[in-house]
Amino acid sequence: MALAAGAANADSHRWQRALVGERKVGQVEITRRESEGHILETETLVLELGAPGRHVSYRVVQSTESASDGALLRAVREVKTREGHFLVEARASGDDLEVANGAGHAKSSQKLPGAARSLKSDVFAQSWLAAVGRGENPAPLSFQSWDPVKLAVVEVTWRRLPDTDALRVERRVQSSNQLTASTLQLDAAGHVVRESMRLGSFDLVLVESSEAEARAKNEVLDHVSQQLQKAPYRIPSKDMRAKIRYSFDNHGVAPQLPVGAGQRTWTDGQTTFIQVCAECVLDPFALSAEDRKLALQPTRWLQSDDARIAQRARSLAASARDDAAKMKRLTSFVREHMSVERIDMLGYGTAVEAFTTRRGDCTEYAVLLAAMGRAAGIPTRVAIGSVYARHFEGHRHVFVPHAWVQAWTGSGWQSFDAAIGTFDSTHLAFAVSYDGSPANHFAGASLAHELTLISAARVVPRKSATN
């Protein structure tokens, strides 16, 4: 959502309908307040997500406080679902940026020296948008901002799209490892009246509406089913421990996929292959000094330096004979520690939030296990991909989105899955994340959706010739 994406306007209160296809699945309330040279814009998005007979409201509140010249003063993003509550706040303090994640016992904070220098909000783009509304074709506008989803300083670029009549612009947000974009339709005053964006596995469209239209009843969006891929065959238990080769249609774009931890991958033209063997000898992998540093350091999502996580991890790992044995103990702990309540695959918590609330889905299991591994001195990273399920939410024999942990146990990466309890040859990794952030997770999930699974087969070893 593009906050303050419109020509200069005094206090205002606007509404939008949230559409997927022709279905109304939610609404957005947008308020703008000006006071003593400060501008506060707040967008509240509510989506109805779930499945027939069971749904949950997914509520995202995003606020930006800016100076009148567009300088970013404060950015807040709050996500509320039945699974939990996530809050991130970034506040400028001179040239420094103070960032806080979570709330209460799950709160962590960090100061980024010099990061607030020259940061802008979308208020800075108001005059540019007004020019587009007047029919002008200004040069693209770029500036640095803070993105509360990517948890990073980003480069924001606005450019007018080459349409002859429509006043359409593109807003691109580039971080160090991810690019996202949305397309916006303007009116003659430069106000946004329509915005289209990719949200997970579906296209979300926000359309300017009256309050009554926005508040009309929402349909439930089955966000889970759209992320599933039908398995090419019913995979028996014996195959799940053997070597399986999968082929995907990459639609002409060769992906960069992770290797190691039982997975090999290669591309031949429009076909990308992934081969996984859960019980094969691990491929040797030399861990560079830089990768080791990344795989051991605490991050805003993997808080291995949290006193409670560190104490529990070291206690559990103390008498284990090697790093693989330590990870098995930590995996068992996380699996028993986390709640088994029904989950809705919503939200994304940190390791501290998972440890404290004991709630979440596979992502929370993974970030907690990765943080505990690091606290025990073991390099870890989060794997993002999919896994085979015989039964899932009324669907049979499908691959579902999943996350687990890869740990470097001495000679190579080895997989550990606290959510399911075991790693098998139906785990397909599309991305790995060293910082555990949701930005990397969603990038991996998007790649999984862009590749079409077309075949899978057990690889049978050739019989050696005999005399």
Side-chain angles (χ1 to χ4, degrees):
M1 298 183 293
L3 283 167
N9 198 6
D11 291 2
S12 62
H13 195 168
R14 299 161 42 223
W15 293 85
Q16 295 175 328
R17 289 172 292 146
L19 308 176
V20 172
E22 299 299 320
R23 301 165 57 208
K24 179 181 178 294
V25 297
Q27 72 268 0
V28 183
E29 181 181 9
I30 306 169
T31 61
R32 175 188 171 101
R33 300 285 182 266
E34 294 190 24
S35 175
E36 299 179 354
H38 286 196
I39 300 170
L40 176 64
E41 286 221 347
T42 302
E43 291 192 6
T44 303
L45 166 69
V46 177
L47 296 176
E48 297 297 327
L49 303 178
R54 179 175 63 87
H55 70 276
V56 62
S57 291
Y58 179 76
R59 180 184 178 92
V60 182
V61 181
Q62 189 162 317
S63 298
T64 300
E65 185 177 351
S66 316
S68 57
D69 64 355
L72 180 64
L73 304 176
R74 179 172 173 262
V76 180
R77 187 172 190 267
E78 184 177 21
V79 178
K80 290 184 177 181
T81 71
R82 188 170 62 197
E83 287 183 21
H85 174 215
F86 168 69
L87 176 70
V88 60
E89 177 182 7
R91 182 188 298 272
S93 178
D95 288 341
D96 300 334
L97 195 67
E98 297 178 349
V99 181
N101 291 326
H105 293 299
K107 185 175 181 178
S108 63
S109 59
Q110 182 180 19
K111 177 178 285 189
L112 305 178
R117 196 177 299 127
S118 302
L119 293 185
K120 306 291 185 182
S121 74
D122 281 335
V123 169
F124 186 70
Q126 288 179 340
S127 59
W128 186 91
L129 291 163
V132 174
R134 293 192 298 268
E136 301 174 18
N137 189 21
L141 175 68
S142 295
F143 53 90
Q144 286 193 321
S145 189
W146 169 262
D147 191 303
V149 177
K150 296 178 174 63
L151 285 181
V153 173
V154 296
E155 185 82 8
V156 178
T157 301
W158 291 84
R159 70 181 184 95
R160 181 170 181 180
L161 296 175
D163 295 326
T164 53
D165 299 318
L167 301 176
R168 296 172 65 243
V169 300
E170 181 186 56
R171 180 180 184 269
R172 297 164 67 93
V173 181
Q174 177 75 63
S175 66
S176 61
N177 59 5
Q178 188 188 26
L179 171 67
T180 55
S182 60
T183 302
L184 303 99
Q185 177 80 40
L186 309 182
D187 62 15
H191 297 136
V192 175
V193 295
R194 183 184 181 94
E195 180 176 7
S196 303
M197 70 192 77
R198 189 73 175 171
L199 186 63
S201 60
F202 51 87
D203 294 314
L204 182 68
V205 179
L206 306 177
V207 181
E208 189 83 1
S209 306
S210 67
E211 180 178 355
E213 290 173 325
R215 287 184 174 274
K217 185 177 180 180
N218 297 318
E219 295 185 44
V220 177
L221 175 63
D222 186 351
H223 66 295
V224 175
S225 294
Q226 296 188 45
Q227 302 178 63
L228 308 181
Q229 289 213 46
K230 190 70 176 177
Y233 75 109
R234 299 181 178 183
I235 303 177
S237 297
K238 61 182 178 63
D239 285 13
M240 295 172 74
R241 307 305 305 172
K243 184 185 296 182
I244 302 179
R245 183 175 298 164
Y246 305 85
S247 64
F248 294 82
D249 184 347
N250 61 38
H251 306 286
V253 180
Q256 295 293 320
L257 299 175
V259 295
Q263 176 166 301
R264 296 178 180 179
T265 179
W266 64 95
T267 293
D268 183 6
Q270 197 165 312
T271 304
T272 293
F273 297 91
I274 296 178
Q275 183 170 285
V276 185
C277 184
E279 294 190 345
C280 293
V281 176
L282 293 176
D283 290 330
F285 188 94
L287 193 63
S288 68
E290 180 61 24
D291 282 348
R292 178 179 290 275
K293 178 181 177 182
L294 291 174
L296 282 173
Q297 68 185 10
T299 73
R300 278 165 278 181
W301 297 94
L302 310 177
Q303 302 106 321
S304 53
D305 55 350
D306 176 81
R308 295 160 298 169
I309 289 178
Q311 189 278 329
R312 184 61 63 89
R314 291 164 187 163
S315 173
L316 289 166
S319 59
R321 68 182 183 278
D322 55 30
D323 285 351
K326 292 177 182 179
M327 285 301 301
K328 289 178 181 178
R329 287 189 180 184
L330 296 175
T331 300
S332 296
F333 167 78
V334 172
R335 184 163 175 77
E336 294 172 2
H337 180 77
M338 297 294 284
S339 169
V340 294
E341 293 181 12
R342 191 172 213 177
I343 56 176
D344 293 294
M345 297 176 67
L346 295 171
Y348 192 104
T350 67
V352 168
E353 288 172 325
F355 185 85
T356 305
T357 66
R358 305 180 68 173
R359 298 186 65 184
D361 54 33
C362 61
T363 55
E364 283 73 28
Y365 281 70
V367 295
L368 177 55
L369 179 57
M372 295 189 77
R374 294 185 183 191
I378 305 168
T380 62
R381 62 189 190 183
V382 176
I384 303 105
S386 59
V387 69
Y388 174 74
R390 292 191 177 91
H391 303 276
F392 184 83
E393 297 287 333
H395 302 271
R396 299 190 66 190
H397 306 290
V398 292
F399 280 85
V400 305
H402 195 51
W404 63 98
V405 171
Q406 294 179 353
W408 196 82
T409 54
S411 61
W413 293 103
Q414 185 173 348
S415 289
F416 299 88
D417 190 336
I420 294 178
T422 185
F423 173 78
D424 61 37
S425 299
T426 70
H427 285 66
L428 307 177
F430 295 101
V432 291
S433 171
Y434 284 91
D435 64 3
S437 76
N440 292 330
H441 177 84
F442 295 138
S446 296
L447 177 57
H449 186 71
E450 291 165 7
L451 297 172
T452 304
L453 179 58
I454 53 179
S455 70
R458 179 183 177 186
V459 179
V460 180
R462 293 180 179 177
K463 294 183 179 180
S464 57
T466 58
N467 294 328

